[in-house]
Amino acid sequence: MQSTDGAADHALRQFRLSRFGLVLALTGLGFVALNFSLSLWLGRLSFNRSSLVLLVATTAFATLWMLLRGAPRSPRFVRAVELSTLFVGTAAFSAMALAVDVLANPDMLVRTLLTYMLLVYAVYVPSTAKHTFLVAALMTVPLLASVFIAFGAWDPALHDPPAAPWPKGQVGDMAYPATLVTAFFWSIVVAMAASFSHTIYGLRKA
């Protein structure tokens, strides 16, 4: 009975991961289509850097969907495909922080995208809290690195308000505080995702 239950859980997990990849791929294509539509509307038809990283993410998530759909795969294969494609896809999402202007709050943009993604993963894909922590760790490195690099280009002479009461700093001074703030809020998201996985996984096993 236990082996049968384990096989059923694995099959469900593979199915959910495949669907998760499909939804993310369609979401990425939606963002690309939105960028293209806005460029047409503004009369600036061009293939910008944000569309490029979105296509990379879409390809990674589509790979997750295609490789895990259909026939059952071994747990080792499913785990390898899941972690590699999610890492590439979320790294591409994080790279959007480098593709938009620093005044567009790239930290909030990328953190919001990854927050939705991780919380949906925790709720939809059957996983232990430990595994969700592992997935979150794969997201954390490119997220913080991208925010740090993006705000390394912060120039107080260009980006601070003209009437700012604080003294002007050096170029790149915002990199550390922006990364620390992102790490703080992201740690809350990771804790929430792990608790969601723990609760839902526990209910399935009860």
Side-chain angles (χ1 to χ4, degrees), residues 120-178:
V120 171
Y121 173 91
V123 172
Y124 185 68
V125 180
S127 301
T128 62
K130 182 179 179 180
H131 189 81
T132 299
F133 266 124
L134 176 60
V135 172
L138 292 177
M139 297 181 178
T140 300
V141 175
L143 168 63
L144 297 183
S146 295
V147 170
F148 184 85
I149 295 172
F151 279 90
W154 182 278
D155 187 346
L158 298 175
H159 302 123
D160 278 358
W166 56 83
K168 297 293 183 183
Q170 301 296 319
V171 175
D173 281 354
M174 283 292 294
Y176 288 101

Tab-separated table of all heavy atoms in Angstrom, residues 120-178:
chain	number	residue	atom	x	y	z
A	120	VAL	N	2.872	30.199	-5.489
A	120	VAL	CA	2.041	29.293	-6.291
A	120	VAL	C	2.666	27.902	-6.320
A	120	VAL	O	1.968	26.888	-6.215
A	120	VAL	CB	1.857	29.843	-7.723
A	120	VAL	CG1	1.195	28.802	-8.619
A	120	VAL	CG2	1.015	31.114	-7.694
A	121	TYR	N	3.984	27.836	-6.448
A	121	TYR	CA	4.679	26.545	-6.409
A	121	TYR	C	4.391	25.819	-5.097
A	121	TYR	O	4.091	24.625	-5.083
A	121	TYR	CB	6.183	26.762	-6.578
A	121	TYR	CG	7.012	25.512	-6.380
A	121	TYR	CD1	7.322	24.697	-7.453
A	121	TYR	CD2	7.481	25.157	-5.109
A	121	TYR	CE1	8.074	23.539	-7.270
A	121	TYR	CE2	8.223	24.001	-4.927
A	121	TYR	CZ	8.514	23.193	-6.002
A	121	TYR	OH	9.244	22.045	-5.818
A	122	ALA	N	4.507	26.542	-3.981
A	122	ALA	CA	4.325	25.929	-2.668
A	122	ALA	C	2.917	25.368	-2.489
A	122	ALA	O	2.730	24.330	-1.853
A	122	ALA	CB	4.629	26.952	-1.576
A	123	VAL	N	1.940	26.046	-3.061
A	123	VAL	CA	0.546	25.621	-2.904
A	123	VAL	C	0.170	24.528	-3.907
A	123	VAL	O	-0.541	23.585	-3.577
A	123	VAL	CB	-0.400	26.835	-3.052
A	123	VAL	CG1	-1.853	26.397	-3.101
A	123	VAL	CG2	-0.175	27.825	-1.919
A	124	TYR	N	0.667	24.641	-5.127
A	124	TYR	CA	0.203	23.766	-6.213
A	124	TYR	C	1.011	22.473	-6.345
A	124	TYR	O	0.443	21.411	-6.616
A	124	TYR	CB	0.257	24.531	-7.534
A	124	TYR	CG	-0.307	23.770	-8.704
A	124	TYR	CD1	-1.675	23.493	-8.786
A	124	TYR	CD2	0.515	23.325	-9.733
A	124	TYR	CE1	-2.202	22.786	-9.854
A	124	TYR	CE2	0.003	22.617	-10.809
A	124	TYR	CZ	-1.359	22.352	-10.864
A	124	TYR	OH	-1.875	21.653	-11.923
A	125	VAL	N	2.329	22.542	-6.143
A	125	VAL	CA	3.184	21.373	-6.335
A	125	VAL	C	3.413	20.688	-4.989
A	125	VAL	O	3.958	21.310	-4.070
A	125	VAL	CB	4.534	21.776	-6.960
A	125	VAL	CG1	5.414	20.534	-7.144
A	125	VAL	CG2	4.317	22.469	-8.297
A	126	PRO	N	3.017	19.418	-4.850
A	126	PRO	CA	3.212	18.720	-3.571
A	126	PRO	C	4.697	18.595	-3.240
A	126	PRO	O	5.452	17.953	-3.960
A	126	PRO	CB	2.589	17.330	-3.828
A	126	PRO	CG	1.692	17.504	-5.007
A	126	PRO	CD	2.328	18.563	-5.847
A	127	SER	N	5.116	19.238	-2.160
A	127	SER	CA	6.525	19.244	-1.774
A	127	SER	C	6.643	19.360	-0.265
A	127	SER	O	5.771	19.930	0.397
A	127	SER	CB	7.278	20.411	-2.425
A	127	SER	OG	7.213	20.361	-3.826
A	128	THR	N	7.742	18.838	0.248
A	128	THR	CA	8.036	19.057	1.658
A	128	THR	C	8.569	20.477	1.840
A	128	THR	O	8.991	21.130	0.880
A	128	THR	CB	9.094	18.054	2.143
A	128	THR	OG1	10.305	18.259	1.409
A	128	THR	CG2	8.621	16.614	1.943
A	129	ALA	N	8.558	20.933	3.078
A	129	ALA	CA	9.112	22.262	3.366
A	129	ALA	C	10.588	22.321	2.996
A	129	ALA	O	11.074	23.337	2.482
A	129	ALA	CB	8.912	22.595	4.840
A	130	LYS	N	11.314	21.222	3.216
A	130	LYS	CA	12.739	21.175	2.891
A	130	LYS	C	12.967	21.361	1.392
A	130	LYS	O	13.878	22.095	0.980
A	130	LYS	CB	13.326	19.842	3.358
A	130	LYS	CG	14.812	19.703	3.116
A	130	LYS	CD	15.319	18.367	3.628
A	130	LYS	CE	16.821	18.199	3.362
A	130	LYS	NZ	17.313	16.882	3.861
A	131	HIS	N	12.136	20.713	0.583
A	131	HIS	CA	12.306	20.838	-0.866
A	131	HIS	C	11.942	22.247	-1.335
A	131	HIS	O	12.599	22.796	-2.228
A	131	HIS	CB	11.441	19.809	-1.591
A	131	HIS	CG	11.714	19.738	-3.057
A	131	HIS	ND1	12.770	19.030	-3.584
A	131	HIS	CD2	11.089	20.296	-4.120
A	131	HIS	CE1	12.783	19.151	-4.897
A	131	HIS	NE2	11.774	19.915	-5.251
A	132	THR	N	10.931	22.827	-0.739
A	132	THR	CA	10.569	24.197	-1.095
A	132	THR	C	11.686	25.166	-0.720
A	132	THR	O	11.970	26.121	-1.458
A	132	THR	CB	9.257	24.600	-0.406
A	132	THR	OG1	8.211	23.723	-0.844
A	132	THR	CG2	8.860	26.023	-0.759
A	133	PHE	N	12.339	24.920	0.414
A	133	PHE	CA	13.510	25.725	0.781
A	133	PHE	C	14.606	25.606	-0.279
A	133	PHE	O	15.270	26.598	-0.613
A	133	PHE	CB	14.067	25.272	2.131
A	133	PHE	CG	13.533	26.047	3.308
A	133	PHE	CD1	12.918	25.407	4.360
A	133	PHE	CD2	13.668	27.429	3.366
A	133	PHE	CE1	12.423	26.117	5.441
A	133	PHE	CE2	13.181	28.160	4.443
A	133	PHE	CZ	12.564	27.492	5.482
A	134	LEU	N	14.793	24.398	-0.808
A	134	LEU	CA	15.810	24.193	-1.839
A	134	LEU	C	15.480	24.985	-3.102
A	134	LEU	O	16.358	25.648	-3.684
A	134	LEU	CB	15.926	22.699	-2.166
A	134	LEU	CG	16.878	22.318	-3.304
A	134	LEU	CD1	18.304	22.775	-2.991
A	134	LEU	CD2	16.833	20.809	-3.549
A	135	VAL	N	14.228	24.924	-3.522
A	135	VAL	CA	13.800	25.692	-4.702
A	135	VAL	C	13.980	27.187	-4.454
A	135	VAL	O	14.458	27.934	-5.322
A	135	VAL	CB	12.342	25.369	-5.050
A	135	VAL	CG1	11.821	26.295	-6.145
A	135	VAL	CG2	12.211	23.913	-5.497
A	136	ALA	N	13.614	27.640	-3.255
A	136	ALA	CA	13.770	29.060	-2.915
A	136	ALA	C	15.238	29.469	-2.915
A	136	ALA	O	15.583	30.580	-3.332
A	136	ALA	CB	13.141	29.338	-1.557
A	137	ALA	N	16.115	28.579	-2.453
A	137	ALA	CA	17.551	28.885	-2.443
A	137	ALA	C	18.065	29.081	-3.865
A	137	ALA	O	18.908	29.960	-4.112
A	137	ALA	CB	18.319	27.758	-1.752
A	138	LEU	N	17.567	28.281	-4.809
A	138	LEU	CA	17.967	28.440	-6.203
A	138	LEU	C	17.517	29.792	-6.755
A	138	LEU	O	18.177	30.364	-7.627
A	138	LEU	CB	17.374	27.316	-7.058
A	138	LEU	CG	17.926	25.911	-6.808
A	138	LEU	CD1	17.192	24.895	-7.682
A	138	LEU	CD2	19.415	25.856	-7.083
A	139	MET	N	16.394	30.300	-6.263
A	139	MET	CA	15.908	31.601	-6.704
A	139	MET	C	16.670	32.749	-6.038
A	139	MET	O	16.827	33.823	-6.626
A	139	MET	CB	14.416	31.754	-6.370
A	139	MET	CG	13.497	30.778	-7.055
A	139	MET	SD	11.781	31.116	-6.562
A	139	MET	CE	10.899	29.886	-7.526
A	140	THR	N	17.130	32.521	-4.810
A	140	THR	CA	17.695	33.599	-4.007
A	140	THR	C	18.985	34.162	-4.599
A	140	THR	O	19.177	35.388	-4.649
A	140	THR	CB	17.950	33.106	-2.572
A	140	THR	OG1	16.706	32.673	-1.998
A	140	THR	CG2	18.546	34.208	-1.711
A	141	VAL	N	19.873	33.279	-5.045
A	141	VAL	CA	21.185	33.732	-5.523
A	141	VAL	C	21.058	34.683	-6.718
A	141	VAL	O	21.586	35.801	-6.685
A	141	VAL	CB	22.086	32.527	-5.855
A	141	VAL	CG1	23.391	33.003	-6.474
A	141	VAL	CG2	22.363	31.706	-4.603
A	142	PRO	N	20.344	34.292	-7.803
A	142	PRO	CA	20.224	35.245	-8.924
A	142	PRO	C	19.415	36.486	-8.576
A	142	PRO	O	19.686	37.569	-9.097
A	142	PRO	CB	19.549	34.420	-10.025
A	142	PRO	CG	18.896	33.286	-9.335
A	142	PRO	CD	19.739	32.995	-8.131
A	143	LEU	N	18.429	36.344	-7.671
A	143	LEU	CA	17.639	37.510	-7.273
A	143	LEU	C	18.513	38.566	-6.617
A	143	LEU	O	18.529	39.734	-7.036
A	143	LEU	CB	16.521	37.079	-6.315
A	143	LEU	CG	15.778	38.201	-5.580
A	143	LEU	CD1	15.040	39.102	-6.575
A	143	LEU	CD2	14.819	37.625	-4.544
A	144	LEU	N	19.262	38.176	-5.595
A	144	LEU	CA	20.082	39.145	-4.873
A	144	LEU	C	21.226	39.667	-5.742
A	144	LEU	O	21.568	40.856	-5.667
A	144	LEU	CB	20.627	38.507	-3.596
A	144	LEU	CG	19.578	38.075	-2.557
A	144	LEU	CD1	20.263	37.538	-1.309
A	144	LEU	CD2	18.645	39.224	-2.204
A	145	ALA	N	21.802	38.787	-6.558
A	145	ALA	CA	22.892	39.230	-7.432
A	145	ALA	C	22.404	40.267	-8.442
A	145	ALA	O	23.073	41.277	-8.692
A	145	ALA	CB	23.507	38.030	-8.155
A	146	SER	N	21.228	40.031	-9.009
A	146	SER	CA	20.691	40.964	-10.008
A	146	SER	C	20.368	42.313	-9.386
A	146	SER	O	20.634	43.366	-9.983
A	146	SER	CB	19.443	40.371	-10.674
A	146	SER	OG	19.767	39.217	-11.414
A	147	VAL	N	19.773	42.303	-8.188
A	147	VAL	CA	19.447	43.560	-7.512
A	147	VAL	C	20.724	44.328	-7.180
A	147	VAL	O	20.806	45.555	-7.369
A	147	VAL	CB	18.622	43.288	-6.239
A	147	VAL	CG1	18.477	44.562	-5.404
A	147	VAL	CG2	17.245	42.744	-6.604
A	148	PHE	N	21.731	43.619	-6.703
A	148	PHE	CA	22.990	44.276	-6.353
A	148	PHE	C	23.634	44.921	-7.578
A	148	PHE	O	24.082	46.075	-7.528
A	148	PHE	CB	23.945	43.262	-5.726
A	148	PHE	CG	25.236	43.862	-5.254
A	148	PHE	CD1	25.324	44.440	-4.001
A	148	PHE	CD2	26.368	43.845	-6.058
A	148	PHE	CE1	26.516	45.008	-3.553
A	148	PHE	CE2	27.561	44.407	-5.627
A	148	PHE	CZ	27.629	44.985	-4.372
A	149	ILE	N	23.664	44.195	-8.688
A	149	ILE	CA	24.279	44.734	-9.901
A	149	ILE	C	23.462	45.905	-10.449
A	149	ILE	O	24.017	46.922	-10.887
A	149	ILE	CB	24.419	43.627	-10.965
A	149	ILE	CG1	25.387	42.551	-10.475
A	149	ILE	CG2	24.909	44.205	-12.294
A	149	ILE	CD1	25.442	41.327	-11.359
A	150	ALA	N	22.122	45.757	-10.423
A	150	ALA	CA	21.266	46.825	-10.954
A	150	ALA	C	21.470	48.132	-10.198
A	150	ALA	O	21.614	49.205	-10.805
A	150	ALA	CB	19.801	46.395	-10.895
A	151	PHE	N	21.495	48.063	-8.873
A	151	PHE	CA	21.633	49.281	-8.086
A	151	PHE	C	23.091	49.736	-7.967
A	151	PHE	O	23.355	50.822	-7.446
A	151	PHE	CB	21.008	49.104	-6.708
A	151	PHE	CG	19.521	49.288	-6.717
A	151	PHE	CD1	18.680	48.209	-6.945
A	151	PHE	CD2	18.964	50.539	-6.545
A	151	PHE	CE1	17.305	48.372	-6.986
A	151	PHE	CE2	17.597	50.719	-6.580
A	151	PHE	CZ	16.762	49.638	-6.804
A	152	GLY	N	24.006	48.914	-8.477
A	152	GLY	CA	25.383	49.364	-8.560
A	152	GLY	C	25.541	50.502	-9.554
A	152	GLY	O	26.535	51.227	-9.530
A	153	ALA	N	24.531	50.649	-10.424
A	153	ALA	CA	24.564	51.737	-11.410
A	153	ALA	C	23.863	52.995	-10.909
A	153	ALA	O	23.744	53.975	-11.656
A	153	ALA	CB	23.898	51.261	-12.709
A	154	TRP	N	23.388	52.980	-9.658
A	154	TRP	CA	22.694	54.144	-9.112
A	154	TRP	C	23.654	55.317	-8.958
A	154	TRP	O	24.636	55.251	-8.228
A	154	TRP	CB	22.068	53.803	-7.766
A	154	TRP	CG	21.282	54.937	-7.157
A	154	TRP	CD1	21.778	55.978	-6.445
A	154	TRP	CD2	19.873	55.127	-7.215
A	154	TRP	NE1	20.774	56.816	-6.047
A	154	TRP	CE2	19.577	56.323	-6.501
A	154	TRP	CE3	18.814	54.414	-7.785
A	154	TRP	CZ2	18.285	56.795	-6.353
A	154	TRP	CZ3	17.527	54.891	-7.638
A	154	TRP	CH2	17.271	56.065	-6.940
A	155	ASP	N	23.354	56.384	-9.653
A	155	ASP	CA	24.180	57.598	-9.592
A	155	ASP	C	23.380	58.681	-8.877
A	155	ASP	O	22.370	59.149	-9.395
A	155	ASP	CB	24.541	58.055	-11.007
A	155	ASP	CG	25.531	59.219	-11.000
A	155	ASP	OD1	25.729	59.837	-9.941
A	155	ASP	OD2	26.091	59.499	-12.077
A	156	PRO	N	23.789	59.092	-7.667
A	156	PRO	CA	23.037	60.110	-6.935
A	156	PRO	C	22.836	61.396	-7.723
A	156	PRO	O	21.798	62.059	-7.593
A	156	PRO	CB	23.889	60.355	-5.690
A	156	PRO	CG	24.692	59.115	-5.528
A	156	PRO	CD	24.961	58.619	-6.914
A	157	ALA	N	23.790	61.748	-8.551
A	157	ALA	CA	23.663	62.987	-9.334
A	157	ALA	C	22.534	62.904	-10.350
A	157	ALA	O	21.943	63.924	-10.722
A	157	ALA	CB	24.980	63.279	-10.047
A	158	LEU	N	22.209	61.681	-10.763
A	158	LEU	CA	21.155	61.494	-11.772
A	158	LEU	C	19.837	61.021	-11.178
A	158	LEU	O	18.764	61.383	-11.661
A	158	LEU	CB	21.618	60.483	-12.833
A	158	LEU	CG	22.848	60.857	-13.664
A	158	LEU	CD1	23.220	59.694	-14.578
A	158	LEU	CD2	22.580	62.114	-14.476
A	159	HIS	N	19.894	60.211	-10.134
A	159	HIS	CA	18.704	59.517	-9.659
A	159	HIS	C	18.135	60.047	-8.347
A	159	HIS	O	16.970	59.799	-8.050
A	159	HIS	CB	19.012	58.021	-9.513
A	159	HIS	CG	19.486	57.381	-10.785
A	159	HIS	ND1	20.687	56.715	-10.896
A	159	HIS	CD2	18.919	57.335	-12.022
A	159	HIS	CE1	20.845	56.265	-12.123
A	159	HIS	NE2	19.792	56.625	-12.833
A	160	ASP	N	18.931	60.741	-7.531
A	160	ASP	CA	18.379	61.324	-6.303
A	160	ASP	C	17.499	62.521	-6.657
A	160	ASP	O	17.759	63.232	-7.639
A	160	ASP	CB	19.507	61.792	-5.381
A	160	ASP	CG	20.077	60.657	-4.559
A	160	ASP	OD1	19.559	59.528	-4.700
A	160	ASP	OD2	21.041	60.883	-3.808
A	161	PRO	N	16.420	62.766	-5.875
A	161	PRO	CA	15.605	63.968	-6.109
A	161	PRO	C	16.460	65.226	-5.987
A	161	PRO	O	17.366	65.295	-5.143
A	161	PRO	CB	14.551	63.905	-4.990
A	161	PRO	CG	14.523	62.471	-4.563
A	161	PRO	CD	15.907	61.943	-4.765
A	162	PRO	N	16.199	66.231	-6.797
A	162	PRO	CA	17.009	67.465	-6.757
A	162	PRO	C	17.032	68.125	-5.383
A	162	PRO	O	18.043	68.710	-4.982
A	162	PRO	CB	16.334	68.358	-7.796
A	162	PRO	CG	15.628	67.417	-8.718
A	162	PRO	CD	15.185	66.270	-7.862
A	163	ALA	N	15.893	68.049	-4.657
A	163	ALA	CA	15.817	68.712	-3.348
A	163	ALA	C	16.043	67.735	-2.197
A	163	ALA	O	15.611	67.987	-1.068
A	163	ALA	CB	14.459	69.391	-3.198
A	164	ALA	N	16.702	66.617	-2.462
A	164	ALA	CA	16.921	65.625	-1.411
A	164	ALA	C	17.738	66.224	-0.267
A	164	ALA	O	18.776	66.857	-0.498
A	164	ALA	CB	17.660	64.423	-1.996
A	165	PRO	N	17.271	66.074	1.002
A	165	PRO	CA	17.974	66.684	2.140
A	165	PRO	C	19.231	65.929	2.550
A	165	PRO	O	20.055	66.463	3.279
A	165	PRO	CB	16.924	66.644	3.255
A	165	PRO	CG	16.061	65.462	2.902
A	165	PRO	CD	16.015	65.412	1.398
A	166	TRP	N	19.383	64.666	2.128
A	166	TRP	CA	20.535	63.886	2.535
A	166	TRP	C	21.746	64.205	1.651
A	166	TRP	O	21.620	64.632	0.512
A	166	TRP	CB	20.215	62.394	2.485
A	166	TRP	CG	19.719	61.919	1.138
A	166	TRP	CD1	20.466	61.568	0.056
A	166	TRP	CD2	18.349	61.751	0.759
A	166	TRP	NE1	19.657	61.184	-0.985
A	166	TRP	CE2	18.351	61.277	-0.586
A	166	TRP	CE3	17.117	61.928	1.403
A	166	TRP	CZ2	17.176	61.003	-1.280
A	166	TRP	CZ3	15.957	61.639	0.716
A	166	TRP	CH2	15.990	61.197	-0.610
A	167	PRO	N	22.938	63.990	2.171
A	167	PRO	CA	24.151	64.285	1.378
A	167	PRO	C	24.293	63.312	0.209
A	167	PRO	O	23.869	62.163	0.287
A	167	PRO	CB	25.288	64.102	2.395
A	167	PRO	CG	24.718	63.193	3.442
A	167	PRO	CD	23.254	63.521	3.534
A	168	LYS	N	24.874	63.798	-0.859
A	168	LYS	CA	25.083	62.973	-2.040
A	168	LYS	C	26.157	61.913	-1.752
A	168	LYS	O	27.205	62.212	-1.205
A	168	LYS	CB	25.536	63.833	-3.223
A	168	LYS	CG	24.512	64.872	-3.669
A	168	LYS	CD	23.272	64.233	-4.259
A	168	LYS	CE	22.298	65.281	-4.767
A	168	LYS	NZ	21.055	64.695	-5.289
A	169	GLY	N	25.842	60.692	-2.127
A	169	GLY	CA	26.797	59.609	-1.952
A	169	GLY	C	27.578	59.345	-3.227
A	169	GLY	O	27.617	60.177	-4.137
A	170	GLN	N	28.167	58.165	-3.276
A	170	GLN	CA	28.945	57.770	-4.431
A	170	GLN	C	28.104	56.875	-5.351
A	170	GLN	O	27.092	56.319	-4.941
A	170	GLN	CB	30.199	56.998	-3.989
A	170	GLN	CG	31.116	57.783	-3.072
A	170	GLN	CD	31.709	59.001	-3.768
A	170	GLN	OE1	32.093	58.943	-4.929
A	170	GLN	NE2	31.790	60.117	-3.040
A	171	VAL	N	28.544	56.756	-6.592
A	171	VAL	CA	27.873	55.863	-7.526
A	171	VAL	C	27.933	54.433	-6.982
A	171	VAL	O	29.000	53.945	-6.599
A	171	VAL	CB	28.532	55.925	-8.918
A	171	VAL	CG1	27.913	54.896	-9.856
A	171	VAL	CG2	28.415	57.318	-9.492
A	172	GLY	N	26.774	53.786	-6.923
A	172	GLY	CA	26.722	52.403	-6.455
A	172	GLY	C	26.465	52.239	-4.978
A	172	GLY	O	26.345	51.110	-4.488
A	173	ASP	N	26.364	53.346	-4.229
A	173	ASP	CA	26.134	53.241	-2.783
A	173	ASP	C	24.801	52.575	-2.454
A	173	ASP	O	24.636	52.016	-1.362
A	173	ASP	CB	26.176	54.632	-2.133
A	173	ASP	CG	27.589	55.125	-1.920
A	173	ASP	OD1	28.524	54.341	-2.174
A	173	ASP	OD2	27.764	56.289	-1.512
A	174	MET	N	23.842	52.630	-3.374
A	174	MET	CA	22.520	52.053	-3.111
A	174	MET	C	22.505	50.534	-3.257
A	174	MET	O	21.508	49.883	-2.908
A	174	MET	CB	21.497	52.658	-4.076
A	174	MET	CG	21.046	54.053	-3.714
A	174	MET	SD	20.072	54.079	-2.186
A	174	MET	CE	18.627	53.163	-2.698
A	175	ALA	N	23.574	49.947	-3.771
A	175	ALA	CA	23.576	48.509	-4.037
A	175	ALA	C	23.386	47.699	-2.760
A	175	ALA	O	22.571	46.764	-2.728
A	175	ALA	CB	24.877	48.110	-4.735
A	176	TYR	N	24.102	48.047	-1.705
A	176	TYR	CA	24.015	47.272	-0.465
A	176	TYR	C	22.668	47.426	0.236
A	176	TYR	O	22.044	46.412	0.599
A	176	TYR	CB	25.163	47.654	0.470
A	176	TYR	CG	26.507	47.135	-0.002
A	176	TYR	CD1	27.406	47.981	-0.648
A	176	TYR	CD2	26.869	45.806	0.182
A	176	TYR	CE1	28.636	47.511	-1.092
A	176	TYR	CE2	28.096	45.329	-0.261
A	176	TYR	CZ	28.975	46.186	-0.904
A	176	TYR	OH	30.186	45.711	-1.343
A	177	PRO	N	22.169	48.644	0.471
A	177	PRO	CA	20.861	48.738	1.127
A	177	PRO	C	19.737	48.121	0.312
A	177	PRO	O	18.828	47.485	0.870
A	177	PRO	CB	20.655	50.246	1.310
A	177	PRO	CG	21.636	50.906	0.425
A	177	PRO	CD	22.795	49.971	0.301
A	178	ALA	N	19.763	48.283	-1.016
A	178	ALA	CA	18.710	47.691	-1.848
A	178	ALA	C	18.737	46.175	-1.756
A	178	ALA	O	17.685	45.517	-1.683
A	178	ALA	CB	18.877	48.137	-3.302
